[in-house]
Amino acid sequence: MSHLDRADLQIIQELRENARITLTELASRVGLSKTPCQLRMRRLEEQGYITGYTALVDQSKLGLSHISFVQITLNDTSSKALTAFNKAALKIAEVEQCHMIAGGFDYLLKIRTRDMASYRMVLGEKISALPHVLQTSTFVVMENVRDIGL
């Protein structure tokens, strides 16, 4: 982060709040003219600080309101096993997030499905079939209090 100055950080914050902001408005908010602002945005993208732009979607309106978190313990945590697990987990569309954890288990997955029946199918047919899975524990979300999607 040592390469970022105040204007860079402001650009990132403004884009986090509204990625559809016009270049003119963004430049105005961060105190730059359009060309320097655009050059900074391009540099932030090229350097990997900004990795993309996306739309936040109300998943429940798409029929995907069931959220579960799954703790996964592997039977092998060698680099080869972790790589195999990671690659396979990326292929499951219902996996919204996948985190390797330092603690009493190895991975925490956020799974989004239509309902409990579809979650049960994903758990039984996809998650349990991932390489090196020894054990799973599911935690069902009762209410989504805050999810900023960032």
Side-chain angles (χ1 to χ4, degrees):
M1 217 168 98
S2 61
H3 297 80
L4 302 181
D5 63 13
R6 179 197 57 78
D8 292 331
L9 294 172
Q10 279 186 287
I11 288 170
I12 291 169
Q13 184 58 39
E14 291 292 337
L15 290 172
R16 286 180 74 179
E17 292 176 16
N18 179 7
R20 293 183 60 164
I21 190 171
T22 66
L23 180 58
T24 302
E25 180 64 22
L26 178 61
S28 172
R29 288 187 185 188
V30 300
L32 297 171
S33 62
K34 284 174 52 173
T35 300
C37 185
Q38 186 173 36
L39 291 171
R40 283 174 179 261
M41 283 180 59
R42 189 172 300 131
R43 180 178 48 80
L44 291 167
E45 292 167 357
E46 290 169 356
Q47 292 178 348
Y49 290 99
I50 298 174
T51 59
Y53 301 88
T54 189
L56 299 177
V57 176
D58 184 338
Q59 299 284 16
S60 63
K61 290 189 178 197
L62 297 174
L64 298 171
S65 59
H66 186 270
I67 302 169
S68 295
F69 287 90
V70 183
Q71 288 182 349
I72 296 179
T73 303
L74 302 181
N75 60 17
D76 181 1
T77 56
S78 66
S79 291
K80 186 176 179 179
L82 297 173
T83 298
F85 179 89
N86 292 347
K87 288 173 81 173
L90 290 172
K91 295 178 183 176
I92 300 175
E94 294 85 358
V95 174
E96 194 170 276
Q97 296 178 11
C98 177
H99 306 276
M100 183 187 294
I101 302 294
F105 55 96
D106 300 306
Y107 284 89
L108 182 65
L109 276 59
K110 180 180 179 185
I111 310 297
R112 187 179 291 274
T113 57
R114 288 186 317 279
D115 52 28
M116 182 58 82
S118 58
Y119 169 72
R120 177 66 188 100
M121 186 279 303
V122 169
L123 178 65
E125 296 180 15
K126 298 180 181 182
I127 295 171
S128 295
L130 288 168
H132 307 288
V133 170
L134 174 66
Q135 179 180 350
T136 65
S137 295
T138 297
F139 302 88
V140 176
V141 173
M142 294 173 53
E143 179 182 358
N144 188 351
V145 176
R146 182 175 191 215
D147 186 350
I148 58 174
L150 301 176

